[in-house]
Amino acid sequence: MQENKNQNKPRRNPNPYRQNRPTGNKENQTNNSNNQAQNSNHNNKQRSNNNRSNQQQNTRHKQNNNKSRGRRKQIPTNVSEDMRECLIENDKIQQARMEPWKQIDMSNRGKIRFTPLGGLGEIGGNIAVMESENSAFIIDVGMSFPDETMHGVDILVPDFSYLHTIKDKIKGIVITHSHEDHIGAMPYLFKELKFPIYGTPLALAMIENKFNEHGLSADTKYFRYVTKRKQYQIGDFKVEWMHMTHSIADSSSLAIETPIGTIIHTADFKIDHTPIDGYTADLHRIAYYGSKGVLALFSDSTNSHNPGFTKSEMVVGKTFDSLFDMAKGRVIMSTFSSNIHRIFQAMERAVKHNRKICVIGRSMERNIETARKLGYIDVDDKHFIEAHEVNRYKDEEVLVVTTGSQGETMAALSRMATDEHRHIKLKPTDTVIISASAIPGNEASVSKLMNLLMKAGVTVRYKEFSDIHVSGHAGQEEQKLMLRLVQPKFFLPVHGEYNHIAAHAKTAELCGVDKRNMLLMSDGDQIEITPKYIKKVKTVKSGKKYIDNMNNKEIFNDVVEDRQKLANEGIVNVSLQISATTSKVVGKPVISTFGIIANKDDKKFEKEIEHLIETYLLNAKITPNSDTKKIEEDIRGLVRKHIIRIKKLYPIINITVFLAK
């Protein structure tokens, strides 16, 4: 085990034979040659006369070699000087090649700070801030999805509190690509703060759609369209967009030249050598920056547990070929509305099989319209029909492209499954293709959707076809390739839960990054980076805001907490009138419960509460001037203790007391 460990250990010590390099002094060289010749003769005599001593030396050499497995052994003394020089020079070149970051000026006393506000410890919600002493910029502004405990919440957006504290330093927002978890919170940020937005045309077009939806169409004046492989000055930073393959068109990684050195941010990525649009990842540009010396690498960790390579998007098209051949009636395909290449492949198969294309779902319609306008989907108008026209064609002549692959209740596919869609009524001859994987937290919703579709009698194509969906994130071998191209001094894994970034750090260690030069971050951690070190300096406020999509308004924390408590613990309402002269209840208290007591036990529970109140009033001194708030709090405490004792619950308890004078 020790040998395997040392095999992977990167070489950090100086070359063991570098001390023998000739100095250039002819006299010294001559003396060294004579000494070497004498030593060689002496060693020959020793080898012929003392084999036991030789074996001991070999044993010691073997032990030393085990400590530095993989290194070149000591150069034998009979190697020529020319060969020795060549070996030494090659070793120097190899060392420089494997550690290009040593070209960075280590005497630079500057520092920058990197602060993730979302996207770490979770999947989605990506947002981070990079700042120098005088300026800062934001990287992506994404949303995430709620879990099942967040009742009535549709999306989560980051807490922008920290951005308010540094708003005078912020010079812009940098967008890497147009997935919802990278741009979905843009309208909510712009309702609080506004900065120039730098991004590629597709990303900004997607943001424009969101701004129009939120009544922010005038804010498109903040758009700054970027050209890849071109640097843009944003405060103290120079930012370059480098083309990257992902599960959406026009994705980018970032090369950021800072006052202290170059930083590479991969954003979401995979290395797809056969992308649908033909534009492969710009590995040449990444290698170019790597050769110049990169101070730090921030890299996508989402698939860091997956060995090997992530499959190409092109394999999904081959699966679609098989599914379209097998389909006897209508084909209904659902995927992420932003997965332009996936949608385009389905449309290509529809045209090939003489099927008309019907697009259903607000976000799907909007994104396809935008992609067609920008040239990412090249399908003629004659192949498209409206939803109300579907029934005019034979079933085998229709492809429906729709939203709802995550089981969203209000999405088009869910409404079809519950027979609530206005135009599409499912038939047993229909084939439903779900070309997506469940986002963590959505598994229950997807399972529910699957059950509804199966009950409707349709043929569902999902996970039984391994290539019906491929990820847009890099596996371990692609992560290794990125690490080897960049060869950074510091490594900070981003985008993923803690177990993802921890696994990515282990991969980086295998690729030669010193363990001391890595940090595993959480949302709110502020990391200080200098040419000499990285360290966490403080924690800033981070978190989530809850959004109701029906009105695009925030739901405040206390409301969500009350909903959670109502769902888990129930509620008790007690209203009563107390005589200020007799200290007795006037009439009967009105008692109601929800989520605690079964209907058949209501009468029993009411009598128990009445008895508690009567006992309390025997010892209480009630006067016309008594504080009703104090009485309500006392009764609430008694009711709470009683419910904890009999039900082990902590419900919301509302007590209302009226004094009769």
Side-chain angles (χ1 to χ4, degrees):
M1 292 299 294
Q2 183 66 32
E3 289 185 7
N4 290 336
K5 181 177 179 182
N6 287 328
Q7 275 184 323
N8 292 326
K9 185 175 180 181
R11 176 180 179 176
R12 298 296 178 196
N13 297 326
N15 191 297
Y17 54 78
R18 188 168 290 161
Q19 61 186 4
N20 294 327
R21 184 177 178 180
T23 61
N25 186 307
K26 292 184 178 179
E27 184 177 347
N28 288 340
Q29 291 180 22
T30 302
N31 291 335
N32 286 339
S33 298
N34 292 334
N35 290 336
Q36 289 168 6
Q38 293 172 4
N39 289 337
S40 178
N41 292 332
H42 177 74
N43 288 337
N44 288 334
K45 292 178 182 178
Q46 284 292 101
R47 280 195 296 271
S48 62
N49 296 329
N50 195 347
N51 289 332
R52 183 178 179 181
S53 175
N54 190 30
Q55 289 173 357
Q56 291 174 349
Q57 289 178 5
N58 288 338
T59 300
R60 285 195 298 270
H61 284 309
K62 184 175 181 181
Q63 291 172 348
N64 290 333
N65 286 339
N66 284 337
K67 294 180 181 179
S68 57
R69 183 69 63 90
R71 300 181 188 175
R72 193 184 301 107
K73 297 179 180 179
Q74 184 84 16
I75 299 178
T77 54
N78 59 351
V79 169
S80 69
E81 287 302 318
D82 288 344
M83 186 178 289
R84 182 186 299 277
E85 278 291 325
C86 185
L87 287 169
I88 291 172
E89 289 304 315
N90 271 314
D91 186 71
K92 288 172 60 180
I93 289 170
Q94 294 285 54
Q95 289 296 308
R97 180 176 68 84
M98 298 304 292
E99 296 176 333
W101 52 265
K102 287 188 174 180
Q103 301 172 66
I104 298 170
D105 180 10
M106 294 297 160
S107 65
N108 188 325
R109 296 188 177 182
K111 59 186 177 182
I112 62 169
R113 292 190 175 184
F114 180 82
T115 312
L117 299 176
L120 287 167
E122 62 176 332
I123 301 294
N126 299 290
I127 178 174
V129 183
M130 187 168 289
E131 56 187 300
S132 64
E133 294 294 329
N134 305 310
S135 62
F137 69 92
I138 303 165
I139 302 174
D140 293 328
V141 186
M143 52 148 278
S144 53
F145 291 101
D147 60 39
E148 64 277 3
T149 68
M150 302 174 187
H151 307 284
V153 177
D154 295 309
I155 63 171
L156 307 176
V157 301
D159 186 323
F160 302 125
S161 299
Y162 181 66
L163 300 184
H164 283 274
T165 65
I166 62 166
K167 62 182 180 181
D168 294 333
K169 289 177 64 175
I170 298 174
K171 304 304 179 184
I173 302 169
V174 167
I175 301 297
T176 60
H177 65 285
S178 49
H179 269 152
E180 290 293 310
D181 61 333
H182 290 259
I183 66 168
M186 283 293 296
Y188 302 97
L189 173 60
F190 261 62
K191 291 173 183 177
E192 300 181 27
L193 298 165
K194 301 180 190 294
F195 308 106
I197 310 171
Y198 296 82
T200 58
L202 180 62
L204 296 186
M206 295 288 198
I207 294 173
E208 182 177 2
N209 290 337
K210 294 184 174 298
F211 279 8
N212 292 338
E213 194 175 300
H214 286 257
L216 300 171
S217 55
D219 287 336
T220 56
K221 65 184 179 184
Y222 289 95
F223 288 180
R224 306 289 186 270
Y225 297 97
V226 303
T227 302
K228 293 180 180 179
R229 285 198 167 198
K230 180 179 178 182
Q231 286 187 326
Y232 292 83
Q233 189 80 41
I234 305 176
D236 291 339
F237 305 91
K238 292 180 181 179
V239 183
E240 178 182 329
W241 280 251
M242 302 177 292
H243 186 77
M244 183 51 61
T245 46
H246 184 40
S247 55
I248 190 170
D250 213 14
S251 187
S252 300
S253 295
L254 304 173
I256 306 163
E257 288 195 7
T258 77
I260 60 170
T262 299
I263 290 174
I264 299 292
H265 193 303
T266 68
D268 289 354
F269 83 99
K270 71 175 182 179
I271 308 299
D272 190 342
H273 298 297
T274 57
I276 301 305
D277 59 7
Y279 295 125
T280 57
D282 196 351
L283 302 180
H284 305 81
R285 197 65 175 168
I286 292 170
Y288 161 76
Y289 278 105
S291 67
K292 291 175 61 179
V294 171
L295 182 62
L297 171 65
F298 300 87
S299 189
D300 174 20
S301 306
T302 307
N303 277 356
S304 56
H305 288 293
N306 295 4
F309 295 86
T310 301
K311 291 183 179 180
S312 169
E313 179 66 26
M314 189 170 285
V315 304
V316 179
K318 296 177 181 178
T319 303
F320 283 170
D321 285 330
S322 300
L323 296 179
F324 273 74
D325 286 338
M326 289 188 289
K328 303 303 180 185
R330 295 180 302 187
V331 175
I332 301 171
M333 195 278 287
S334 181
T335 188
F336 298 107
S337 63
S338 59
N339 198 334
I340 304 302
H341 289 154
R342 184 78 47 83
I343 296 166
F344 180 49
Q345 290 190 90
M347 290 181 174
E348 282 186 314
R349 272 67 189 178
V351 173
K352 176 183 175 182
H353 289 81
N354 297 314
R355 291 178 180 265
K356 295 295 183 181
I357 303 165
C358 175
V359 181
I360 297 178
R362 186 177 60 176
S363 62
M364 185 70 75
E365 293 171 8
R366 188 178 58 211
N367 289 348
I368 290 177
E369 180 184 353
T370 301
R372 291 185 69 202
K373 180 174 66 177
L374 298 180
Y376 292 100
I377 292 180
D378 184 16
V379 179
D380 197 89
D381 288 342
K382 67 181 181 181
H383 298 293
F384 290 89
I385 59 173
E386 298 295 329
H388 66 270
E389 298 178 289
V390 167
N391 293 328
R392 299 178 189 176
Y393 294 86
K394 295 178 182 179
D395 289 353
E396 61 270 22
E397 295 176 350
V398 174
L399 166 68
V400 176
V401 180
T402 186
T403 56
S405 63
Q406 296 302 300
E408 306 96 315
T409 305
M410 297 306 295
L413 187 58
S414 291
R415 287 187 285 120
M416 293 177 199
T418 54
D419 200 26
E420 296 175 359
H421 196 274
R422 180 179 176 186
H423 298 291
I424 306 297
K425 306 297 180 183
L426 294 180
K427 303 177 183 180
T429 54
D430 290 340
T431 296
V432 176
I433 300 171
I434 300 179
S435 184
S437 60
I439 295 172
N442 289 357
E443 293 88 354
S445 298
V446 174
S447 179
K448 180 181 177 182
L449 172 64
M450 294 288 292
N451 290 330
L452 290 170
L453 291 170
M454 297 296 285
K455 285 181 179 180
V458 302
T459 300
V460 180
R461 306 296 191 187
Y462 187 36
K463 289 186 176 179
E464 70 272 21
F465 289 84
S466 60
D467 293 337
I468 201 168
H469 168 74
V470 294
S471 174
H473 299 273
Q476 290 177 0
E477 295 305 313
E478 293 153 283
Q479 291 175 345
K480 291 176 184 177
L481 175 58
M482 182 64 69
L483 283 157
R484 288 304 192 182
L485 287 174
V486 175
Q487 299 280 32
K489 179 176 184 180
F490 301 120
F491 178 67
L492 294 98
V494 293
H495 299 177
E497 298 175 1
Y498 192 86
N499 67 89
H500 298 132
I501 65 174
H504 202 173
K506 290 180 180 178
T507 300
E509 191 174 359
L510 290 175
C511 290
V513 180
D514 194 316
K515 193 173 183 178
R516 296 169 297 179
N517 289 347
M518 292 186 275
L519 276 179
L520 306 187
M521 301 177 290
S522 298
D523 288 344
D525 288 350
Q526 187 161 92
I527 307 302
E528 184 172 280
I529 306 173
T530 74
K532 294 183 178 179
Y533 65 81
I534 53 172
K535 67 178 181 180
K536 176 184 171 182
V537 290
K538 66 177 180 179
T539 300
V540 306
K541 184 180 179 182
S542 63
K544 301 296 180 186
K545 294 181 180 179
Y546 308 111
I547 303 296
D548 181 351
N549 263 354
M550 296 300 291
N551 54 21
N552 287 325
K553 295 290 181 65
E554 180 181 354
I555 307 171
F556 292 99
N557 288 4
D558 54 347
V559 175
V560 176
E561 289 171 2
D562 285 348
R563 290 176 181 177
Q564 291 171 342
K565 196 163 189 177
L566 283 168
N568 297 326
E569 310 288 346
I571 184 171
V572 177
N573 296 311
V574 179
S575 296
L576 68 153
Q577 189 175 27
I578 302 173
S579 171
T581 56
T582 64
S583 294
K584 292 185 178 180
V585 177
V586 178
K588 285 178 66 69
V590 179
I591 302 169
S592 62
T593 69
F594 298 93
I596 302 174
I597 305 298
N599 290 340
K600 65 184 180 65
D601 296 328
D602 279 350
K603 295 297 182 183
K604 178 184 176 182
F605 181 75
E606 288 174 9
K607 288 181 180 179
E608 292 170 350
I609 300 302
E610 288 174 9
H611 180 70
L612 286 174
I613 294 170
E614 289 170 359
T615 303
Y616 165 74
L617 292 176
L618 287 174
N619 300 313
K621 296 179 180 180
I622 307 298
T623 68
N625 296 322
S626 293
D627 183 0
T628 57
K629 297 295 183 185
K630 174 68 167 55
I631 299 171
E632 290 172 355
E633 192 59 40
D634 290 344
I635 295 174
R636 183 179 291 108
L638 292 171
V639 173
R640 179 180 292 110
K641 288 179 181 178
H642 179 67
I643 294 174
I644 291 172
R645 182 172 57 83
I646 65 171
K647 291 292 182 181
K648 302 296 188 291
L649 294 174
Y650 299 83
I652 295 174
I653 302 173
N654 295 320
I655 308 293
T656 306
V657 171
F658 301 95
L659 286 181
K661 299 181 181 179

